[in-house]
Amino acid sequence: MIRMTIFIVLLAMLIYSNMDGNIPEPIPEQFKVKVMDLCIKTYRHTLNVLVSLGLTTPFSEFERKLSDRFILLMTTGFPWVRGYDSQLQITDTTMKGVHVRMYQPVSSLQHKQRPVLVYFHGGWWSLLSIDSYDPLMRRIAKDSGVVIISVNYRLSPQHPFPVPLHDCLDVVEYVIENSATLNIHPQKIAIGGDSAGGNMAAAISLRLKKKLALQLLIVPVLQLANWNTSSFIENANYLSQSANNKNYILLVLNYLNIDHKYEHDFLNNNHTSQAFKQFYFTEILDQNLWLPKRYIRSELLRENIDLQTEFGNEELFSLIESRITDPMMSPLLADDDMLEDLPMTYIVTSGFDIVRDDGIMFSERLKQVGQKVILKHYEEAFHTSLIFPHGPLKLEVGVRIVQDIVKVLRNTLRSSL
């Protein structure tokens, strides 16, 4: 009895000591967010122990299965994918050799011209899968009545840029080319994704343009050139071991196929040259020009976003220039001509997100060239709020984000059907 009491006390102390995530006061449902933060920390500690014991390696198949289980446990209360759903026909298949999962509303199975959303999951190009996003895809498919095709693209570092992007592009092109066979309306094809998935959706839209009816860019990562944005400065200390963990830069390096030793160069903006900064920081990436001040909480930053340009690792930049300046990797760096004739764009940004500014600046640039764009900004949300519209850690803001996505899918894809 005494041993059990000591164990419970020690366990309680361990949990309490780890529920110290810096959660900003404007974020509601603080306890749930602290539990989410604790779960992600627990996952990272568990992984570190397994690696130190030689039982796995970073970015192994086992680690990815483990991360899926943690995400599912947080978002549904169960560490596995649910099976049968009476409202959906769920099928795993391949399109151009890429593994996908189709969610077809039973009510529209006999229809010949259905709307579809091809979705690319988040995970910074290195983690997660269609399994971890299964609950969210079910929710959106059922609530919108739209067919969802969730893409299980290959992950970095085993498959760096452009492999994940090409996997996603191949699936979209397959859907376009085989719309009749799939009973898909050829003018009701949407693509979307969150975080890294939003990056690839934006890049594919630059390629396919009016072949698409809609692009959903949810908390997208749209440029890899400036890590000193106002959103990074304001939010890096919040949820710093979970949603806004600086170590995610290592996952970006995986996608770039760059050695992790350059982590600090990236975090300090030392990965680009002086010449690059002097052009892009005063043009396409100028936050004083493209970021409306109302989105910045810091009064000091609102007065002046100081973008330093007089430094840079020229040798490193020579290694990555062709990739980091490619709009297929950094869509925000696309010129005005590339931004013309895009499908309707729906962008979701979160106030307490280190990549908040990417989506806002992209929205401003699209408006400047006359494109139809809707920006939905959730000031009290953080980067991963999207995946909590249900389950034991259900967040009200997660519910609203998903409801608004469903609404735009209905209004854009189903309005004329």
Side-chain angles (χ1 to χ4, degrees):
M1 184 65 180
I2 294 176
R3 289 181 179 178
M4 179 59 70
T5 302
I6 293 173
F7 173 76
I8 292 173
V9 169
L10 290 174
L11 180 62
M13 290 175 62
L14 176 65
I15 292 173
Y16 180 79
S17 66
N18 277 281
M19 288 186 70
D20 59 352
N22 189 6
I23 317 295
E25 289 186 8
I27 292 182
E29 301 172 286
Q30 291 266 315
F31 180 75
K32 290 182 181 179
V33 178
K34 285 184 178 181
V35 172
M36 179 278 299
D37 185 67
L38 173 62
C39 287
I40 294 177
K41 288 178 183 176
T42 301
Y43 160 72
R44 293 180 61 238
H45 292 326
T46 302
L47 178 63
N48 289 339
V49 169
L50 293 173
V51 170
S52 66
L53 293 175
L55 299 177
T56 188
T57 56
F59 311 114
S60 66
E61 190 65 25
F62 176 82
E63 182 201 348
R64 287 169 176 152
K65 296 285 187 185
L66 185 65
S67 66
D68 283 341
R69 301 288 83 77
F70 266 88
I71 293 293
L72 287 168
L73 187 62
M74 283 193 295
T75 57
T76 69
F78 300 92
W80 55 79
V81 174
R82 292 299 186 91
Y84 173 77
D85 191 308
S86 61
Q87 299 179 57
L88 296 172
Q89 183 181 96
I90 302 173
T91 310
D92 278 57
T93 185
T94 59
M95 295 180 177
K96 286 193 175 180
V98 181
H99 177 206
V100 302
R101 183 169 295 160
M102 290 187 68
Y103 302 82
Q104 302 181 77
V106 171
S107 59
S108 67
L109 283 175
Q110 304 307 315
H111 296 181
K112 296 298 182 183
Q113 292 194 317
R114 303 172 297 169
V116 66
L117 168 65
V118 184
Y119 195 86
F120 319 127
H121 66 80
W124 295 85
W125 299 283
S126 292
L127 295 172
L128 308 185
S129 72
I130 58 175
D131 282 350
S132 42
Y133 274 69
D134 183 77
L136 180 62
M137 296 299 99
R138 291 177 187 235
R139 175 75 175 265
I140 294 175
K142 287 191 285 190
D143 290 354
S144 68
V146 170
V147 175
I148 307 293
I149 298 174
S150 185
V151 182
N152 210 38
Y153 56 88
R154 287 171 288 178
L155 298 173
S156 306
Q158 292 87 346
H159 304 284
F161 176 83
V163 174
L165 176 64
H166 284 174
D167 283 353
C168 295
L169 178 61
D170 283 346
V171 171
V172 178
E173 289 181 332
Y174 180 91
V175 173
I176 293 171
E177 294 163 3
N178 296 275
S179 58
T181 304
L182 296 168
N183 293 333
I184 297 298
H185 194 304
Q187 295 179 339
K188 299 291 182 179
I189 299 172
I191 66 173
D194 62 292
S195 192
N199 170 285
M200 293 187 291
I204 290 169
S205 291
L206 293 175
R207 179 78 63 88
L208 299 180
K209 300 206 175 240
K210 288 298 184 181
K211 291 181 180 180
L212 305 170
L214 171 70
Q215 61 170 331
L216 298 176
L217 311 181
I218 305 166
V219 293
V221 182
L222 296 176
Q223 56 85 26
L224 305 180
N226 182 15
W227 297 96
N228 194 37
T229 60
S230 70
S231 57
F232 200 99
I233 295 169
E234 286 189 318
N235 297 316
N237 290 326
Y238 296 129
L239 296 167
S240 60
Q241 298 301 309
S242 55
N244 289 329
N245 195 326
K246 291 181 181 180
N247 286 335
Y248 289 144
I249 195 67
L250 298 177
L251 311 188
V252 172
L253 297 182
N254 287 346
Y255 190 50
L256 279 164
N257 199 23
I258 291 294
D259 195 296
H260 286 188
K261 70 182 182 181
Y262 294 114
E263 174 188 8
H264 294 294
D265 282 288
F266 272 76
L267 287 174
N268 295 318
N269 266 359
N270 197 44
H271 62 301
T272 55
S273 67
Q274 292 187 41
F276 174 91
K277 293 183 179 73
Q278 287 165 0
F279 175 74
Y280 281 95
F281 284 14
T282 58
E283 296 287 341
I284 292 176
L285 294 177
D286 186 354
Q287 292 205 284
N288 290 296
L289 178 63
W290 298 111
L291 185 67
K293 305 299 183 184
R294 66 183 178 275
Y295 294 107
I296 304 174
R297 295 188 304 274
S298 166
E299 184 175 340
L300 182 62
L301 284 174
R302 280 199 301 270
E303 292 175 357
N304 180 44
I305 304 173
D306 188 16
L307 297 175
Q308 299 294 323
T309 63
E310 302 301 322
F311 66 101
N313 185 332
E314 303 284 345
E315 181 180 355
L316 172 57
F317 186 61
S318 68
L319 294 176
I320 64 173
E321 179 177 7
S322 62
R323 280 163 283 174
I324 210 169
T325 60
D326 186 347
M328 293 296 103
M329 178 175 279
S330 297
L332 188 57
L333 271 59
D335 60 32
D336 288 354
D337 289 342
M338 289 191 72
L339 297 181
E340 293 178 350
D341 298 320
L342 292 177
M344 174 183 164
T345 302
Y346 183 86
I347 301 175
V348 172
T349 54
S350 297
F352 294 95
D353 182 3
I354 57 176
V355 298
R356 175 196 69 200
D357 295 354
D358 287 15
I360 296 171
M361 293 173 67
F362 197 57
S363 172
E364 292 298 309
R365 291 205 57 220
L366 290 177
K367 286 192 289 186
Q368 191 263 343
V369 296
Q371 295 298 295
K372 187 174 183 181
V373 56
I374 297 172
L375 173 65
K376 291 288 289 187
H377 181 69
Y378 302 84
E379 182 55 45
E380 76 277 33
F382 50 92
H383 189 69
T384 52
S385 295
L386 166 76
I387 64 173
F388 296 103
H390 40 228
L393 300 180
K394 175 181 174 181
L395 299 176
E396 188 274 336
V397 69
V399 173
R400 284 195 292 116
I401 291 171
V402 172
Q403 286 176 339
D404 289 342
I405 290 171
V406 166
K407 193 179 301 180
V408 76
L409 287 172
R410 285 176 173 172
N411 292 342
T412 306
L413 301 182
R414 302 193 67 202
S415 58
S416 62
L417 295 181

